[in-house]
Amino acid sequence: MAPILEMLGISKTFGANRALCDVSLTVIPGEIHALMGENGAGKSTLMKILSGAYQADPGGQIRIGGEPVVINGPLAARRLGVSVIYQELTLAPNLSVGENIFLGTEPRRGGMIDRAAITNACTPLLQRLGVSFTPATLVSTLSMAERQMVEIARALNAQSRILVMDEPTTSLSSRETERLFDLIRRLRADGLAIIYISHRMAEIYDLADRVSVLRDGSAVGTIPRAELSAETLVRLMVGRDLATFYKKDHAAALARGPVILSVRDVGDGQRVLGCGLDLHAGEVLGIAGLVGAGRTEFARLVYGADRGSGTVTLDGRALHIATPRDAIDAGVVYLTEDRKRLGLFLDMSVRENINLGVIGRDAKGGALLDFAAAARRARDAIAALGIRVSADMINVGALSGGNQQKVLLARLLETKPRVLILDEPTRGVDIGAKSEIYRLIDSLARADVGVIVISSDLPEIVGICDRVLVMREGRMAGEIGGDGQPVTQENIIAIATGADESAGQQAA
Amino acid sequence: MSEAVRVRRKLAFRNAIQVAGMLPILVLLGIMFQLLSGWVEAGNLSGAWAEGRFMSWQNLSIVMQQASINTVLAAGMTVVILTGGIDLSVGSILAASAMVAVIASKLEGLGLLGIPAAMLCGLLFGAINGALIAFMKLPPFIVTLGSLTAVRGIARLIGGDTTVFNPSLPFAFIGNGTLAGLPWLVVIAIAVILVTWFILRRTVLGVHIYAVGGNPDASRLSGIKVWAVILFAYALAGLYAGLGGVMSAARLFAANGLQLGQSYELDAIAAVILGGTSFVGGIGSIWGTLIGALIIAVLGNGLILVGVSDIWQYIIKGLVIIGAVALDRYRIQGSARA
């Protein structure tokens, strides 16, 4: 079949940074074409060129339906039949569904908006999507999944032939995801070309007809569905094998050091009920559990971010932790699961973010900033953690997710902690940075630091932890791995869901 | 040239543009007023520049003096806005402090005590604002709107709702004297700017001020004492308002609780905003504020020189503030795209 879209030899440079280098992508009608790659590999840049948000460097060519086209703005893209549905939806919540679908192209009658025409045009469209709301429904009353349907309806209404979806399932439940997938398959059957961007392997297996992989701004290959496997994808994305992905070189659980952190009876009376744990020097201790089991709340109580009851002992010394400051001073640090909202200062530079926890310690006379020390720390941390940034005065907000996470980790490490509590350390992080973070955790354990990893990613917990505590409904429901029994996804799930009450012994 | 060097130069350039900010507008206004005032004198454009009165040393000195009190208030306002707050009470605090300054100046032989007394008065009111915001977690707008009114009342109460005079004010030199040719008012304003710059850019506290404004939640989680930063910001704004009280008392040899400092807070906020400081906190510089305060003073002075009526001065000032900020937005967007 003749391709609907051909992007040939596309390059894009931002100042000194080369975001895309001679990338080509061919999409045919009636296919779901997955686009994969680490964060910062160039997927969004490529799609922004397609949608007219960016202009490619001279030399490349875009053809739609065989015709060379110039896409110099979002309107041109729309006219050419290209629609993009971004992760952050672009609807006006205060307007109705119909008004949103026709936003910018409102049918008019004598200068007035023609509501009847909107309703008439939208009704069959919404029926085709199989949704339960009407054109008159206010968007603010819709769920995320329903809002996505409105975006899709808007694209269909614009007679789009190429639909780009950027991680559309991020905020959807599994049932909503299923419904979305059904719809995407129907759209494929109708002859639309769909470019689907996602990090989740399962979705790619489920949907994709072909997968194109980008790495460091270059296209490294396109594989048909028949040749799809986790090994191939990871190798293409990382340029490395899956076997070396999880890193656990530090001493095994049974050879662990003395207890450094002891937590007893920590609770807030609501979401965390009398939880405790013992953490050994050089140990990576996982805390698993379902979403809402109270893992983050537990960590925040230990760190002093929220008020609660209980005792915390470090190296045999009872700590009085009322605020995060007390915890940091004692040598206990916490990596938040929400780095943009609760962790980083996006308007501040990489250097300032790395140094924020220690500028007080470095200060001359207790108050004056030591710029030389800050520059040195930033330089060393950037090298040690492999943070990809061309200068440390760049704002953290401009970095990719993985590099942002490394900057945040660097800030914690500068305080030379005894205990790290890492809450979802690899969430929203690309696969290359993931493996570097695993290596970092491993090297910390080898240096006799105690590491607690809270994660919903079971393969990750199994891959990097020596011992796993499982939380359920605010309590420590069980422990796996302490007595040499293997940590597996199955026994974690059994305890987390309460499927096998007797499987785990009570921890603490 | 290596890539790192190139990126660093680009960042330095962008930084310079950000700091320069409104400087071109200030220069442009100066040139315009020189030409216009000359045109009013000479009646034609050819001799306008030579005849212009705006850029005489004497007039520029007056402009700087007129800018001085607002500069001091705006410096405190900059710190407050950088933390993501606002202080509407600085005008009232200035009035109360000026009352305290003049009353204390009448003490036989201890008249110079009026200066520290007024500053202490400002510091106290500022600290109360800060404590209410930091500990009771009340919104800054509401707290300082309340103290705008309450402190105004206190200012009237202090002098029994009369104007207090002291024709032999022991610190009158501040309002009328010079130091090495520079008016004391200007010296004080420059000193305040330098001190504020030092705090913001050279101390740990300064980084914490930017951090709290940029992301209060992350600040707390990373161990910053957010309450202390907020308390400091409002206390500093109060202290500077107290200093402003001394300056204005020294100029007038008198203070009046009802009239002094009316709507000064608005000029201070305008200066900060003209200076490019973000209203949501975390972004901005004290140099921008200085330029903003100068723009406001240049407008006031220049419009009078050109002979524009009082009513039109208000209208033009308001439009220039809006226009300048709009232009700034446009310029920032342009540079981000390039």
Side-chain angles (χ1 to χ4, degrees):
Chain A
M1 189 177 255
I4 175 82
L5 170 71
E6 292 163 281
M7 299 179 85
L8 303 169
I10 304 289
S11 298
K12 175 74 187 169
T13 43
F14 295 100
N17 286 343
R18 178 145 245 207
L20 284 178
C21 177
D22 196 22
V23 171
S24 295
L25 178 72
T26 305
V27 183
I28 55 177
E31 81 163 335
I32 299 173
H33 195 115
L35 193 56
M36 294 192 81
E38 303 178 15
N39 290 332
K43 295 171 309 217
S44 343
T45 309
L46 187 65
M47 288 305 108
K48 281 183 175 162
I49 288 171
L50 179 59
S51 67
Y54 292 154
Q55 301 295 300
D57 295 344
Q61 197 184 46
I62 302 178
R63 295 188 202 182
I64 290 181
E67 298 289 316
V69 294
V70 177
I71 305 180
N72 50 16
L75 276 178
R78 196 168 171 162
R79 225 175 19 247
L80 291 163
V82 177
S83 283
V84 183
I85 298 175
Y86 293 103
Q87 255 166 302
E88 293 89 17
L89 302 181
T90 54
L91 298 174
N94 53 332
L95 299 181
S96 74
V97 168
E99 284 164 335
N100 267 289
I101 290 175
F102 276 94
L103 207 60
T105 56
E106 294 88 351
R108 287 155 205 275
R109 202 172 47 195
M112 309 285 277
I113 191 162
D114 188 348
R115 282 178 204 285
I118 288 185
T119 311
N120 289 340
C122 288
T123 309
L125 208 56
L126 295 180
Q127 265 164 12
R128 179 175 162 201
L129 296 182
V131 295
S132 56
F133 51 84
T134 71
T137 313
L138 269 188
V139 165
S140 59
T141 63
L142 300 180
S143 71
M144 284 309 288
E146 289 170 322
R147 289 181 197 203
Q148 217 158 38
M149 293 297 164
V150 178
E151 290 260 11
I152 295 172
R154 188 200 273 177
L156 294 180
N157 185 51
Q159 308 293 327
S160 296
R161 293 175 291 166
I162 301 163
L163 184 62
V164 181
M165 306 184 86
D166 190 356
E167 302 218 37
T169 59
T170 322
S171 46
L172 301 191
S173 72
S174 55
R175 256 189 55 208
E176 289 168 338
T177 303
E178 254 330 295
R179 287 191 54 193
L180 177 69
F181 284 6
D182 281 345
L183 176 62
I184 293 176
R185 290 195 191 96
R186 266 188 287 143
L187 294 176
R188 167 175 66 184
D190 291 346
L192 255 75
I194 293 155
I195 300 177
Y196 189 92
I197 300 177
S198 176
H199 282 304
R200 302 185 183 173
M201 300 272 183
E203 296 181 358
I204 304 295
Y205 288 134
D206 220 357
L207 279 178
D209 297 309
R210 287 195 298 163
V211 182
S212 288
V213 178
L214 292 180
R215 185 170 77 224
D216 296 334
S218 302
V220 289
T222 298
I223 32 183
R225 185 177 180 79
E227 294 167 26
L228 214 53
S229 73
E231 284 73 31
T232 348
L233 282 176
V234 172
R235 205 177 50 244
L236 281 176
M237 276 195 284
V238 191
R240 204 167 44 238
D241 275 329
L242 191 60
T244 58
F245 187 52
Y246 295 113
K247 184 86 176 170
K248 193 152 75 175
D249 280 354
H250 61 275
L254 293 173
R256 65 199 178 195
V259 171
I260 47 173
L261 182 80
S262 252
V263 179
R264 291 287 176 274
D265 259 341
V266 162
D268 60 2
Q270 294 170 354
R271 308 184 66 180
V272 182
L273 306 165
C275 287
L277 57 79
D278 283 321
L279 177 69
H280 299 255
E283 180 183 41
V284 180
L285 173 65
I287 300 184
L290 302 177
V291 171
R295 295 168 299 167
T296 295
E297 291 79 4
F298 170 66
R300 285 179 59 101
L301 287 171
V302 172
Y303 183 61
D306 297 317
R307 281 185 186 281
S309 57
T311 59
V312 178
T313 319
L314 184 72
D315 292 326
R317 217 158 28 85
L319 300 180
H320 177 73
I321 297 179
T323 64
R325 180 79 258 164
D326 300 336
I328 295 168
D329 289 342
V332 178
V333 297
Y334 168 69
L335 178 87
T336 168
E337 59 173 340
D338 189 346
R339 63 175 164 269
K340 283 195 178 171
R341 209 167 60 76
L342 302 176
L344 291 166
F345 300 89
L346 297 173
D347 294 322
M348 293 170 86
S349 68
V350 170
R351 182 190 296 184
E352 285 175 308
N353 269 281
I354 290 175
N355 280 283
L356 202 83
V358 289
I359 44 175
R361 292 185 197 175
D362 284 351
K364 292 173 273 191
L368 296 192
L369 293 171
D370 184 341
F371 290 106
R376 201 168 51 237
R377 281 180 187 274
R379 193 188 57 222
D380 294 349
I382 286 170
L385 272 69
I387 301 169
R388 256 159 257 145
V389 59
S390 43
D392 66 359
M393 297 312 283
I394 284 175
N395 281 354
V396 159
L399 268 51
S400 70
N403 283 311
Q404 287 185 349
Q405 189 76 328
K406 289 186 202 165
V407 169
L408 193 51
L409 272 166
R411 182 202 297 162
L412 303 187
L413 295 179
E414 286 304 320
T415 66
K416 294 266 173 284
R418 292 280 287 138
V419 172
L420 279 119
I421 308 174
L422 308 177
D423 197 350
E424 304 286 357
T426 62
R427 175 181 287 175
V429 163
D430 59 82
I431 206 158
K434 246 185 197 174
S435 107
E436 283 164 19
I437 289 172
Y438 296 147
R439 219 166 317 146
L440 177 72
I441 292 173
D442 183 58
S443 67
L444 286 168
R446 268 184 290 164
D448 265 354
V449 173
V451 184
I452 297 175
V453 175
I454 299 173
S455 176
S456 300
D457 185 342
L458 284 181
E460 169 175 301
I461 287 261
V462 172
I464 65 171
C465 295
D466 303 311
R467 192 161 62 99
V468 178
L469 295 174
V470 184
M471 281 189 78
R472 186 174 72 230
E473 290 165 9
R475 297 181 191 280
M476 288 294 172
E479 176 183 338
I480 307 162
D483 47 8
Q485 85 196 85
V487 177
T488 65
Q489 296 193 34
E490 289 73 20
N491 53 26
I492 292 175
I493 290 172
I495 300 175
T497 56
D500 190 353
E501 278 280 11
S502 58
Q505 59 219 89
Q506 286 300 106
Chain B
M1 191 163 51
S2 83
E3 189 173 309
V5 170
R6 212 173 318 157
V7 171
R8 202 161 307 141
R9 283 203 188 151
K10 205 171 118 191
L11 286 174
F13 177 69
R14 191 178 302 167
N15 206 17
I17 285 192
Q18 246 165 32
V19 169
M22 287 289 174
L23 193 57
I25 304 264
L26 179 62
V27 173
L28 215 66
L29 280 174
I31 293 171
M32 198 184 77
F33 281 128
Q34 173 73 359
L35 285 173
L36 281 176
S37 61
W39 183 56
V40 171
E41 289 289 305
N44 60 54
L45 266 177
S46 55
W49 184 263
E51 288 285 323
R53 288 176 300 157
F54 179 81
M55 293 225 185
S56 69
W57 172 244
Q58 196 194 355
N59 188 57
L60 288 182
S61 168
I62 291 172
V63 169
M64 284 195 289
Q65 286 185 60
Q66 285 169 341
S68 61
I69 292 178
N70 188 29
T71 303
V72 171
L73 295 184
M77 190 70 76
T78 304
V79 175
V80 167
I81 290 181
L82 278 175
T83 66
I86 187 91
D87 189 347
L88 300 176
S89 66
V90 290
S92 297
I93 294 180
L94 178 141
S97 306
M99 293 299 290
V100 168
V102 175
I103 290 170
S105 75
K106 291 180 170 177
L107 292 172
E108 207 59 50
L110 298 170
L112 278 176
L113 271 186
I115 299 173
M119 289 173 72
L120 208 64
C121 166
L123 181 69
L124 179 75
F125 285 125
I128 293 173
N129 277 339
L132 288 170
I133 294 161
F135 298 121
M136 300 191 59
K137 311 258 188 281
L138 300 175
F141 191 95
I142 311 286
V143 168
T144 59
L145 184 65
S147 47
L148 161 80
T149 312
V151 175
R152 174 66 60 192
I154 292 172
R156 292 174 66 178
L157 201 64
I158 293 173
D161 207 10
T162 59
T163 303
V164 290
F165 294 95
N166 184 357
S168 56
L169 198 71
F171 47 86
F173 67 93
I174 288 180
N176 309 284
T178 61
L179 177 73
L182 264 186
W184 265 101
L185 289 173
V186 177
V187 172
I188 292 175
I190 292 173
V192 163
I193 291 288
L194 288 176
V195 167
T196 313
W197 167 81
F198 187 82
I199 293 172
L200 287 177
R201 292 299 186 191
R202 287 290 179 270
T203 67
V204 173
L205 180 61
V207 176
H208 287 179
I209 287 169
Y210 279 91
V212 166
N215 192 341
D217 292 328
S219 297
R220 202 174 86 82
L221 277 184
S222 51
I224 295 174
K225 290 183 183 126
V226 176
W227 62 267
V229 171
I230 288 177
L231 188 61
F232 173 83
Y234 289 91
L236 185 72
L239 179 72
Y240 284 171
L243 186 58
V246 173
M247 293 161 82
S248 86
R251 251 175 96 178
L252 304 170
F253 295 89
N256 177 304
L258 180 59
Q259 288 152 4
L260 205 59
Q262 283 281 9
S263 77
Y264 276 22
E265 62 279 351
L266 298 183
D267 271 351
I269 294 169
V272 175
I273 297 307
L274 276 175
T277 295
S278 157
F279 224 60
V280 292
I283 304 173
S285 85
I286 191 70
W287 302 116
T289 299
L290 175 62
I291 291 168
L294 286 173
I295 288 178
I296 291 173
V298 164
L299 271 178
N301 173 281
L303 290 172
I304 292 172
L305 274 189
V306 176
V308 174
S309 81
D310 184 46
I311 300 167
W312 277 99
Q313 281 179 37
Y314 271 96
I315 297 173
I316 293 172
K317 259 168 121 174
L319 291 178
V320 166
I321 290 172
I322 295 172
V325 173
L327 200 69
D328 196 44
R329 280 288 140 77
Y330 183 73
R331 187 178 54 81
I332 289 170
Q333 276 173 3
S335 69
R337 222 180 287 130

